[in-house]
Amino acid sequence: MSLEKAAQAIRNAESLALACHVGPDGDALGSMLGLGLAARNSGKPVVASFGSPHVLPPSLSFLPTDLIVPPQEFPAEPDVMVVLDAGSADRIGDLAPAAKSAATVVVLDHHVTNEGFGDVSVVEPTAAATGELVFRLLGILDWEISPEIAQCLHTALVTDTGRFQYSNTTPETLRIAAELVARGADPAVIGRHVYEEAPFGYLKAAAVAMERASLDPRLEVVSTFITAQDLDDLGITWGDTENLIDLLRMAEEADTAILAKAHSDGTTKVSMRSRGLTDVGALAAKQGGGGHRLAAGFTTSEQPETVIATLVSSLGDHR
Ligand code: AMP
Ligand code: MN
Ligand code: MN
């Protein structure tokens, strides 16, 4: 569906309740907060949240997050609920019942695995980030992009494009980025918080994960895992490990990188990346997750080493 339809629903809303995917990244938070702040500045009552575990990644806490309420304070029956950067209804975790009870659900997303949910579903796989869709939406709504909003949306673009270096980066992405910087986004602040600093414990965690990494040169896959216990020992949180997959995927012998994160609740969250040979989105979808062709993930109750073995043996089906 078109962004105009989404704009119409949002314009007519008495109030807005915004949600993004669980374990939010820079695009999830940046696109949600960018829209939320613009709504607030335009006099529209608005709240924003994300599902449990309701913990902001430390590297993104520089964003203006005061719109965000805990999931318990999210309206049970929202008027218009806008779901951002979530490829399926279950990706909003414990906010899913609110979406079921909402009068209207608007979805803004760019995941190729998104099969369409909600009443107004805008899914554009060619958009590098959901933040691009929000930028265009604000133009249609004629809602002003303040420096604060520009910072949120630029964070969305920077993080989902890996600093404008992934293949999803288009001329349009860069045009929007230029506009956002012109409107006051500060690339240096974003760069420092997201890429240029981390707790010392993160360096140690990276060392632990890389020590454990294994490379299969024949299958061109590199894989490793990290556990909640490792993080506890080093005094860091899952939010500190966002960039770990980017270190692992550097192995030039590998097309595919697999990082399994064993959480304390017994679930394992798997991140996958490919240089082009493997459709990791399809592979993740088969495991109940999703994502993009070259970056995807899923959650399982299997142990990290078991799930890695399963994935490695099924790689051939996705090339
Ligand atoms: P990540 O590895 O967490 O950075 O995620 C890479 C891509 O896969 C992102 O676009 C995520 O939205 C998507 N993704 C990660 N985990 C899941 C999941 N459990 N279900 C659906 N999509 C996911
Ligand atoms: Mn995301
Ligand atoms: Mn995204």
Side-chain angles (χ1 to χ4, degrees):
M1 254 180 254
S2 69
L3 268 176
E4 278 75 16
K5 280 252 163 60
Q8 198 180 358
I10 289 169
R11 199 183 284 115
N12 294 338
E14 263 164 38
S15 63
L16 293 174
L18 313 184
C20 64
H21 65 74
V22 291
D25 51 23
D27 186 29
L29 283 174
S31 60
M32 179 172 77
L33 291 170
L35 178 59
L37 293 170
R40 184 166 74 181
N41 293 347
S42 306
K44 187 79 75 184
V46 57
V47 291
S49 188
F50 59 90
S52 309
H54 190 76
V55 184
L56 277 170
S59 66
L60 294 170
S61 51
F62 72 95
L63 289 171
T65 54
D66 59 295
L67 265 185
I68 296 182
V69 299
Q72 310 84 267
E73 288 172 31
F74 197 79
E77 295 177 0
D79 175 24
V80 173
M81 179 163 168
V82 185
V83 178
L84 298 109
D85 201 39
S88 56
D90 61 316
R91 288 282 287 154
I92 58 173
D94 51 9
L95 295 179
K100 280 222 165 70
S101 307
T104 306
V105 175
V106 175
V107 173
L108 302 174
D109 186 40
H110 67 131
H111 289 94
V112 67
T113 48
N114 191 324
E115 289 171 349
F117 64 100
D119 305 301
V120 180
S121 166
V122 184
V123 180
E124 283 202 23
T126 58
T130 301
E132 277 193 24
L133 301 180
V134 171
F135 175 88
R136 283 160 46 197
L137 180 70
L138 296 185
I140 297 169
L141 286 164
D142 205 19
W143 285 358
E144 197 196 319
I145 298 181
S146 66
E148 205 179 31
I149 294 167
Q151 185 78 331
C152 293
L153 298 181
H154 198 62
T155 300
L157 267 58
V158 168
T159 53
D160 262 25
T161 59
R163 298 178 260 190
F164 306 110
Q165 65 172 337
Y166 300 152
S167 56
N168 59 356
T169 308
T170 64
E172 179 67 0
T173 314
L174 295 167
R175 272 193 287 270
I176 294 173
E179 191 60 37
L180 292 171
V181 174
R183 289 177 195 238
D186 187 339
V189 169
I190 299 169
R192 178 164 69 84
H193 284 98
V194 179
Y195 297 106
E196 303 293 343
E197 61 184 27
F200 184 63
Y202 169 72
L203 301 183
K204 296 290 189 184
V208 169
M210 295 312 129
E211 178 63 31
R212 259 181 216 147
S214 69
L215 173 73
D216 185 326
R218 191 180 60 84
L219 291 171
E220 298 176 68
V221 56
V222 62
S223 60
T224 192
F225 65 94
I226 187 140
T227 69
Q229 186 64 55
D230 297 326
L231 269 53
D232 277 353
D233 293 347
L234 297 165
I236 62 167
T237 62
W238 288 115
D240 293 315
T241 66
E242 274 280 308
N243 296 336
L244 197 52
I245 183 75
D246 295 322
L247 186 58
L248 182 70
R249 68 191 293 243
M250 280 191 73
E252 67 179 16
E253 298 84 349
D255 165 79
T256 313
I258 304 172
L259 172 64
K261 298 176 172 178
H263 285 243
S264 55
D265 63 359
T267 64
T268 300
K269 295 197 164 42
V270 180
S271 288
M272 297 187 288
R273 301 289 186 270
S274 165
R275 294 190 195 278
L277 197 60
T278 311
D279 184 348
V280 292
L283 189 54
K286 229 186 203 173
Q287 303 284 336
H292 312 277
R293 211 175 77 79
L294 303 181
F298 65 93
T299 302
T300 170
S301 54
E302 279 177 38
Q303 290 300 303
E305 284 155 302
T306 316
V307 69
I308 287 172
T310 308
L311 291 169
V312 170
S313 68
S314 65
L315 275 179
D317 304 340
H318 296 273
R319 288 183 169 167

